[in-house]
Amino acid sequence: MEALARTGEAIRATTSKLEKTRLLGEYFAALDDETLPLAAVYFTARPFADRDQRKLNLGYAVIRNAVCDLAQVDEEALGESYMRHSDVGDVIEEVLQGHTHPRPTSLREVHDTFVRVYEQRTVKKKTEALRELLDRLTPREAKYIGKILTGDLRIGLRAGLVEEGIAKGFGAPLADVSWASMLTGDIGEVALLARRGGLRSARLRLMHPLQFMLASPEEDAAAIMRRVGGEAWVEDKYDGIRGQLHKEGERVVLYSRDLNEVTAAFPEVVSAAAAVPHDVLLDGELLAFKDGIVRPFFELQHRLGRKVVSAQLLTEVPVIFVAFDLLYLDGRNLLEEPLRERRRLLDELSLPSPF
């Protein structure tokens, strides 16, 4: 943990993108195979990889209670520190000065604590697990635990720089690192593949969210045509949420744009997909749809976040899945196939209602 915190501070101290990349690359290259994947994930400010559906959902109260108890200060002291720093990690570092009992702590031990926090069901137990971890760290190390738990390192490490650091550390093509990251959804696994020269062996696997292909702006229509190579497909943009549907055997899973599973909120879509006689990965849009009309987004919001959808809500806010791309079909990765071919295969599926 000490090396991660030290590297984070060095990255924070420079504004040079090249230097940030170099620092990350050197750090990653020096790690063993057990530590490397954890470090790569932690530098994305997440306790678990994207494809890992475990979410800590750790409220501020747990962090506050653990820090206040360990430092023997009240909430007001934390508030005063936050007014000075506006960063939870910096607050933790300041408040814990002289109050912890540091001893060497590996990233595996940090990971084990994150798992323990995830498994606990009460605020008290989660707080106890976090307090025990913070107590064995230096304040600077504890700062980075806070940053990871709040999802923001705030060290100038923009999205993509971790991939660049992996490419730099192991002499791998950045395009291969990015491709493997999209396929696996696990930057830690990608780091190991890069070390072993196996990035091109990364395979698309169902039942974990694939990073979404998102739109990006261009100055004008001419720039768009130059970018896409002379032919463009135009589709209506509906007022719904982006969705990714994975179907393998009898199992169907839906993921949202932020890579969270939302299967339970859309049982009618799941039931229809289960009847499709193929293994597929569909990219599309989930929409509220009633009487042949796409309904406003605020109606769809009634379905979001639900673990159980009542029969009444199914009737009041029916939903459809508008599939606009087919990325996988019966063991075949279609990501590198032309869109025209993917759409042909999608049309041939003849998906049932509510598709």
Side-chain angles (χ1 to χ4, degrees):
M1 189 64 203
E2 190 279 330
L4 183 144
R6 176 166 27 89
T7 302
E9 291 297 273
I11 291 170
R12 186 183 194 179
T14 180
T15 58
S16 167
K17 173 188 168 183
L18 289 177
E19 180 64 6
K20 290 177 188 290
T21 303
R22 185 192 68 79
L23 289 165
L24 266 182
E26 287 187 355
Y27 171 62
F28 288 151
L31 300 176
D32 59 39
D33 284 359
E34 180 181 47
T35 306
L36 174 60
L38 297 173
V41 169
Y42 294 161
F43 266 114
T44 65
R46 293 178 176 88
F48 303 113
D50 281 345
R51 78 174 186 191
D52 192 325
Q53 288 302 292
R54 290 177 295 187
K55 307 296 180 184
L56 289 186
N57 295 323
L58 202 63
Y60 174 69
V62 172
I63 299 174
R64 178 199 64 206
N65 293 346
V67 173
C68 286
D69 184 57
L70 188 56
Q72 292 297 291
V73 298
D74 57 22
E75 188 176 349
E76 183 178 348
L78 247 60
E80 292 172 356
S81 180
Y82 190 81
M83 291 295 292
R84 289 190 291 273
H85 300 290
S86 300
D87 181 279
V88 171
D90 289 340
V91 169
I92 291 173
E93 181 179 32
E94 179 178 85
V95 173
L96 290 186
Q97 290 293 335
H99 294 288
T100 65
H101 303 84
R103 61 184 187 273
T105 301
S106 69
L107 294 193
R108 171 54 59 182
E109 290 169 310
V110 171
H111 171 77
D112 290 344
T113 299
F114 287 160
V115 171
R116 180 181 164 198
V117 170
Y118 169 78
E119 292 174 344
Q120 298 299 332
R121 290 293 173 258
T122 67
V123 169
K124 180 180 178 181
K125 291 294 185 182
K126 290 178 184 291
T127 301
E128 289 174 356
L130 179 58
R131 184 194 185 285
E132 289 176 14
L133 174 62
L134 296 179
D135 188 37
R136 63 183 295 167
L137 302 176
T138 66
R140 184 171 74 173
E141 293 167 351
K143 168 169 68 175
Y144 279 86
I145 296 298
K147 288 176 177 290
I148 292 166
L149 292 178
T150 55
D152 190 357
L153 296 185
R154 300 185 71 174
I155 57 174
L157 202 60
R158 66 165 179 76
L161 269 183
V162 175
E163 292 180 0
E164 292 184 34
I166 290 171
K168 180 72 171 178
F170 302 110
L174 178 57
D176 287 356
V177 174
S178 299
W179 178 254
S181 180
M182 182 180 69
L183 290 180
T184 65
D186 187 338
I187 196 67
E189 178 182 342
V190 170
L192 283 175
L193 288 173
R195 165 173 280 169
R196 297 164 181 169
L199 288 168
R200 297 305 293 180
S201 70
R203 293 290 179 265
L204 192 158
R205 296 191 297 271
L206 295 180
M207 304 305 162
H208 79 80
L210 190 70
Q211 292 183 19
F212 281 85
M213 292 178 282
L214 303 177
S216 56
E218 290 289 356
E219 290 294 327
D220 50 38
I224 292 173
M225 296 309 296
R226 286 194 299 270
R227 179 173 176 179
V228 301
E231 181 181 27
W233 292 40
V234 179
E235 304 215 29
D236 292 322
K237 172 64 178 78
Y238 295 105
D239 198 11
I241 66 166
R242 188 76 172 270
Q244 197 177 103
L245 186 146
H246 295 234
K247 192 263 180 181
E248 186 172 36
E250 297 181 355
R251 187 182 176 199
V252 178
V253 180
L254 280 165
Y255 297 103
S256 62
R257 175 174 165 171
D258 56 5
L259 307 183
N260 288 321
E261 185 178 339
V262 293
T263 310
F266 306 103
E268 67 270 61
V269 175
V270 173
S271 295
V276 175
H278 300 280
D279 292 343
V280 297
L281 195 168
L282 300 173
D283 191 2
E285 193 91 357
L286 287 154
L287 307 169
F289 189 83
K290 191 172 186 179
D291 300 327
I293 298 173
V294 176
R295 306 300 300 166
F297 179 72
F298 76 82
E299 293 189 20
L300 180 65
Q301 286 182 304
H302 294 294
R303 297 286 297 270
L304 304 182
R306 301 242 176 200
K307 299 299 183 185
V308 177
V309 180
S310 68
Q312 180 180 349
L313 189 55
L314 284 170
T315 300
E316 292 176 349
V317 188
V319 167
I320 62 171
F321 186 96
V322 178
F324 49 68
D325 208 348
L326 176 63
L327 307 180
Y328 177 97
L329 176 63
D330 293 331
R332 181 183 172 192
N333 178 359
L334 303 177
L335 284 170
E336 294 185 291
E337 295 293 331
L339 176 60
R340 188 179 296 278
E341 172 66 6
R342 301 200 305 269
R343 288 299 289 261
R344 182 187 70 80
L345 292 169
L346 176 60
D347 290 342
E348 289 179 354
L349 289 178
S350 299
L351 297 171
S353 177
F355 286 90

